């Protein structure tokens, strides 16, 4: 597995920062590839189920940044310790700035990859996904780094089984 992470870190087709490589190391990644997927097929794993990325709070915020309730929810989300990977600013302003950058320069794997697993669950790049989904819609295809990992969380395994996703990979 560490061999796979080392390969990920040296693959010139995309960029994943050191903090997220460290996170991927904890997931038991044993294989990866560059793939293409429709944004509408990307899932988010929440405590109560698997949902399309359009249900994610960053998406709800980016489509309506002036809604006071959604803004407060998003500010709380930014402060959660699990969202403090790396040194990037986590704030509504930073997200809106990222949106401007992505729309001006396009999404590029070499500047920050969207990473999904073998079940299409987002692992890294949720905010970029939400920006692209808002701008281009669910049928828009994006290049991603697809990882294969050992899913250890019983809750996730149960949801995958319920959705008929079984074992992929």
């Amino acid at each position: 597995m560490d061999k796979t992470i080392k390969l990920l870190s040296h693959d010139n087709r995309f960029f994943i920062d050191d903090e997220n490589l460290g996170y991927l190391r904890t997931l038991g990644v044993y294989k990866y590839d560059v793939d293409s997927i429709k944004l509408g097929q990307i899932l988010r794993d929440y405590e109560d189920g698997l949902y399309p990325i359009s249900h994610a709070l960053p998406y709800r915020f980016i489509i309506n940044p002036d809604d006071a309730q959604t803004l407060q929810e998003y500010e709380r989300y930014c402060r959660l310790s699990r969202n403090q990977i790396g040194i990037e600013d986590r704030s509504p302003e930073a997200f809106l700035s990222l949106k401007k950058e992505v729309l001006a320069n396009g999404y590029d794997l070499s500047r920050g990859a969207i990473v999904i697993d073998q079940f299409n669950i987002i692992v890294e790049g949720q905010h970029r996904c939400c920006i692209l989904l808002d701008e281009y819609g669910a049928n828009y295809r994006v290049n991603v780094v697809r990882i294969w990992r050992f899913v250890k969380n019983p809750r996730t395994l149960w949801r995958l089984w319920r959705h008929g996703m079984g074992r992929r990979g």
Side-chain angles (χ1 to χ4, degrees):
M1 285 181 259
D2 279 342
K3 179 182 175 187
T4 304
I5 299 300
K6 188 171 186 162
L7 290 170
L8 275 165
S9 71
H10 290 90
D11 195 317
N12 292 328
R13 295 177 294 172
F14 52 82
F15 174 74
I16 302 171
D17 64 33
D18 290 340
E19 290 82 11
N20 283 299
L21 284 169
Y23 173 63
L24 293 176
R25 184 174 281 113
T26 69
L27 297 180
V29 176
Y30 58 90
K31 180 168 99 170
Y32 77 92
D33 202 358
V34 173
D35 200 355
S36 175
I37 186 172
K38 289 181 180 180
L39 289 166
Q41 295 176 300
I42 297 176
L43 301 172
R44 178 71 166 81
D45 187 8
Y46 282 105
E47 287 186 21
D48 64 340
L50 294 171
Y51 295 95
I53 199 74
S54 60
H55 283 72
L57 180 57
Y59 181 73
R60 289 187 286 125
F61 171 72
I62 206 69
I63 64 171
N64 196 4
D66 297 323
D67 179 70
Q69 182 178 348
T70 306
L71 174 61
Q72 284 182 336
E73 281 183 67
Y74 186 72
E75 286 173 331
R76 280 193 302 275
Y77 167 87
C78 289
R79 290 190 298 267
L80 293 173
S81 61
R82 71 172 183 252
N83 296 325
Q84 297 302 316
I85 296 174
I87 57 172
E88 293 177 10
D89 180 27
R90 304 285 194 242
S91 69
E93 297 79 18
F95 188 19
L96 294 172
S97 177
L98 176 64
K99 180 179 180 177
K100 286 180 186 173
E101 178 187 327
V102 169
L103 295 181
N105 301 318
Y107 164 66
D108 183 350
L109 280 169
S110 67
R111 283 184 285 185
I114 294 170
V115 181
I116 62 172
D117 72 5
Q118 71 266 39
F119 303 105
N120 297 341
I121 297 172
I122 189 84
V123 175
E124 164 57 7
Q126 173 180 238
H127 287 75
R128 288 179 295 264
C129 273
C130 292
I131 292 165
L132 295 169
L133 181 61
D134 178 42
E135 187 68 16
Y136 303 111
N139 289 321
Y140 185 76
R141 294 190 80 82
V142 292
N143 291 326
V144 298
V145 175
R146 180 181 298 275
I147 61 166
W148 282 261
R149 64 179 172 133
F150 296 107
V151 178
K152 303 171 201 165
N153 185 328
R155 184 187 75 211
T156 302
L157 290 169
W158 169 249
R159 282 195 293 271
L160 289 168
W161 180 80
R162 269 187 49 218
H163 283 86
M165 297 173 105
R167 284 186 164 286
R168 289 189 187 171

